[in-house]
Amino acid sequence: CSAEDALSLLSLRGQQHRHHAGAKGKTRGSVQCPGSTTDWCAGDQCCPRTAGSGDKTFPCPVASASFDGCEVGHEGTVGALLAAMTRQEKYRFLRGVGWVNGTWDTAPGYYIGDAGLNERFGIHSQNMQDNGQGFRTVSASIIPEVTGWPVALAVASSWSETDTRKWAVALGKEFRAKGANVILGPGVNVHRVALGGRNAEYVSGESAYFGSRIVQPWIEGVQSQRVLAVVKHFVGNQQETNRNDVDSTIDQRTLWEVYYPPFEAAVKADVAIFMCSYNLVNGVHACGNENTVLHDLKGTMGFKGWVQSDWWALHSFAAEAGVDQEMPGDATPNNGQYFTDENLDTLSDDKIDDMVGRQLTYMMRYGLFEPEGQVCQPTDCNESLYDTVATNPEHQELNKELATSAVMLLKNEDSVLPFKSSYKKVVLLGSACNASQDYEAQLAQWDLGSYYNIGGSGRVIAFEPVSILAGLEARCAEAGCAVEYDGSDDASAAASK
């Protein structure tokens, strides 16, 4: 044979050596090579050629994301997985599980969202948890275990991409520590309604440009921790009032100049997931709107990840309209299921593979398959979810820095601030300055907030927050001043102080 042929044969022999290392029989930590009934692999090894991989050796599913020692890269692994998985195995990625059917409650050991459970080939589940401003405290035990960060809009108010990235990295670390590998955030909608119920969660404020600058370090920081980000709510989600029925009427120029830029920036930052919203856009529900999802997002913007519905936001079987995953997948008294076996069976194999392949690609790209990237598998997640402490002194210190940076002093008449040593008495007025934090009341009502945290799915109940009164008293104890407090909310009484 020619010298070129000889080199090719030597190369293949090397590939085969890497493939057989640790193969032929299951060992601890090994997974089955997709497309083979006899070959197992672990770590940075190659699996044998299959038709799904283009007849080339490909990385073991649990190989590191950077491993490139086979004839084809991880795209070959995804192809081999799709060729080896059954339709039912693929369906587990297309609809969520974990809610008690017919109720508003999650089952024990499950997160707010769960998909892709009980798969072969080392495929990990998707463990999704709210929210883009901290790990959602769904039980009393979680409250002291996570950091009660400032709301997202407050952190964004620092105008600092550096602070945003540091915060996002910390968020990713806490979510992973709690067993979640998907964070249901960030929220980036540009504010349109001043009383919008979720404005505090949306980092863009009223500026499309500002949102496009802040969202990129947020996504990159979170996903650097092997946690996939979900940018939401696409699109025109401006209010909570009548959120399932309100119609956001927006022309194309306004969409692209005012409302799309933060979402475009998320695509450029390689965000894994888009969440479509409850509202209608130009007469069609956002979760099922071909113009916004198929044409604008997956077409013009070139989004390569997957689109999931907001929880019970579907109003039809919207797979052909661009939705890849129904969440949370279980019915409630007021919401049905659309990604049923019967409906999914009507889709072609190519369509199913596109929907699932988008998910596997991003899970593999950001290390969710790697042994170091794996977290618990529902239903065996109670320890991670309820008993693991994710916060730490470093995060608590960062929390204080972020809260401080969020404050902007608009007026300082007679240079009252900072306090001078000559000040001997400070009068503090209003009950908000010494507000209580009622954990039980908030846990009993999911949308109830407090002076220290918002309510709803964006809620992270702050643990033992320091009131303004307590903080000022501590500072005055050091500075030699006294605090006189009136918490009556009586303006006449306050005027006499």
Side-chain angles (χ1 to χ4, degrees), residues 209-225:
Y209 174 73
F210 178 74
S212 68
R213 290 289 297 270
I214 290 294
V215 69
Q216 294 192 55
W218 197 104
I219 289 169
E220 290 166 0
V222 164
Q223 294 193 161
S224 73
Q225 302 303 306

Side-chain angles (χ1 to χ4, degrees), residues 190 204 206-212 235 250-264 296 301:
V190 176
S204 299
E206 296 176 285
S207 170
Y209 174 73
F210 178 74
S212 68
V235 62
I250 315 172
D251 63 75
Q252 278 294 300
R253 179 177 177 181
T254 306
L255 275 171
W256 286 100
E257 293 184 3
V258 178
Y259 297 110
Y260 277 169
F263 292 105
E264 287 185 277
D296 293 349
M301 293 188 206

Side-chain angles (χ1 to χ4, degrees), residues 409-420 423:
L409 182 63
L410 298 179
K411 184 177 181 180
N412 192 17
E413 190 172 324
D414 299 327
S415 299
V416 170
L417 298 175
F419 287 164
K420 301 175 178 60
Y423 297 168

Side-chain angles (χ1 to χ4, degrees), residues 19-55:
H19 151 56
H20 281 298
K24 295 296 180 186
K26 183 177 181 180
T27 60
R28 184 175 182 180
S30 66
V31 300
Q32 185 180 4
C33 282
S36 172
T37 59
T38 59
D39 290 277
W40 295 73
C41 62
D44 290 348
Q45 297 177 350
C46 299
C47 285
R49 302 178 182 91
T50 70
S53 68
D55 198 29

Side-chain angles (χ1 to χ4, degrees), residues 394-410:
E394 180 183 351
H395 289 183
Q396 293 296 332
E397 189 59 34
L398 176 60
N399 194 21
K400 295 176 185 177
E401 293 176 12
L402 295 173
T404 301
S405 298
V407 177
M408 182 177 292
L409 182 63
L410 298 179

Side-chain angles (χ1 to χ4, degrees), residues 181-186 215 218-223 226-232 270-275 303 306 308 362 366:
N181 55 17
V182 178
I183 180 172
L184 299 173
V215 69
W218 197 104
I219 289 169
E220 290 166 0
V222 164
Q223 294 193 161
R226 296 189 178 96
V227 175
L228 301 183
V230 182
V231 67
K232 61 185 187 183
D270 203 36
V271 70
I273 311 164
F274 263 65
M275 182 187 293
F303 176 57
W306 77 94
Q308 67 176 202
Y362 273 83
Y366 287 98

Side-chain angles (χ1 to χ4, degrees), residues 137-468:
T137 47
V138 294
S139 75
S141 64
I142 299 175
I143 296 173
E145 296 174 346
V146 298
T147 306
W149 306 98
V151 294
L153 186 60
V155 177
S157 297
S158 69
W159 293 66
S160 172
E161 292 165 296
T162 300
D163 284 350
T164 299
R165 186 181 300 274
K166 290 195 309 186
W167 178 47
V169 169
L171 283 172
K173 289 180 178 178
E174 292 203 7
F175 271 68
R176 276 194 47 75
K178 298 296 287 181
N181 55 17
V182 178
I183 180 172
L184 299 173
V188 302
N189 294 76
V190 176
H191 297 184
R192 177 66 176 83
V193 177
L195 295 177
R198 305 190 74 169
N199 283 356
E201 299 178 51
Y202 293 155
V203 298
S204 299
E206 296 176 285
S207 170
Y209 174 73
F210 178 74
S212 68
R213 290 289 297 270
I214 290 294
V215 69
Q216 294 192 55
W218 197 104
I219 289 169
E220 290 166 0
V222 164
Q223 294 193 161
S224 73
Q225 302 303 306
R226 296 189 178 96
V227 175
L228 301 183
V230 182
V231 67
K232 61 185 187 183
H233 299 90
F234 192 75
V235 62
N237 183 244
Q238 313 301 339
Q239 65 184 62
E240 285 294 275
T241 305
N242 300 321
R243 68 182 185 181
N244 286 296
D245 305 306
V246 66
D247 188 2
S248 297
T249 304
I250 315 172
D251 63 75
Q252 278 294 300
R253 179 177 177 181
T254 306
L255 275 171
W256 286 100
E257 293 184 3
V258 178
Y259 297 110
Y260 277 169
F263 292 105
E264 287 185 277
V267 174
K268 292 177 182 177
D270 203 36
V271 70
I273 311 164
F274 263 65
M275 182 187 293
C276 53
S277 51
Y278 291 105
N279 54 281
L280 293 84
V281 182
N282 298 326
V284 181
H285 275 100
C287 284
N289 193 311
E290 293 188 27
N291 288 331
T292 57
V293 177
L294 276 183
H295 182 270
D296 293 349
L297 176 60
K298 291 185 173 180
T300 305
M301 293 188 206
F303 176 57
K304 302 302 182 184
W306 77 94
V307 176
Q308 67 176 202
S309 72
D310 204 339
W311 272 227
W312 302 290
L314 287 180
H315 294 264
S316 63
F317 179 52
E320 295 289 6
V323 178
D324 302 299
Q325 187 178 63
E326 179 182 16
M327 295 304 297
D330 296 302
T332 73
N334 302 318
N335 301 278
Q337 296 168 296
Y338 295 96
F339 279 41
T340 60
D341 282 5
E342 183 180 11
N343 285 335
L344 291 172
D345 285 345
T346 66
L347 301 177
S348 68
D349 287 341
D350 286 345
K351 177 61 176 175
I352 293 292
D353 284 355
D354 176 71
M355 296 163 72
V356 178
R358 290 169 174 266
Q359 301 183 40
L360 297 178
T361 296
Y362 273 83
M363 292 175 69
M364 198 164 291
R365 179 178 300 173
Y366 287 98
L368 272 63
F369 280 49
E370 298 173 10
E372 299 83 2
Q374 293 186 8
V375 290
C376 63
Q377 293 258 13
T379 59
D380 189 25
C381 286
N382 281 335
E383 181 177 353
S384 296
L385 187 53
Y386 301 114
D387 298 328
T388 299
V389 176
T391 190
N392 56 49
E394 180 183 351
H395 289 183
Q396 293 296 332
E397 189 59 34
L398 176 60
N399 194 21
K400 295 176 185 177
E401 293 176 12
L402 295 173
T404 301
S405 298
V407 177
M408 182 177 292
L409 182 63
L410 298 179
K411 184 177 181 180
N412 192 17
E413 190 172 324
D414 299 327
S415 299
V416 170
L417 298 175
F419 287 164
K420 301 175 178 60
S421 59
S422 59
Y423 297 168
K424 298 304 178 184
K425 183 173 78 169
V426 179
V427 178
L428 201 59
L429 308 173
S431 61
C433 296
N434 194 32
S436 62
Q437 177 73 315
D438 192 332
Y439 304 127
E440 291 185 5
Q442 293 183 76
L443 290 170
Q445 183 178 333
W446 79 277
D447 59 351
L448 181 65
S450 72
Y451 277 105
Y452 306 103
N453 51 259
I454 64 171
S457 58
R459 183 176 67 190
V460 182
I461 300 175
F463 179 62
E464 296 182 353
V466 179
S467 70
I468 296 173

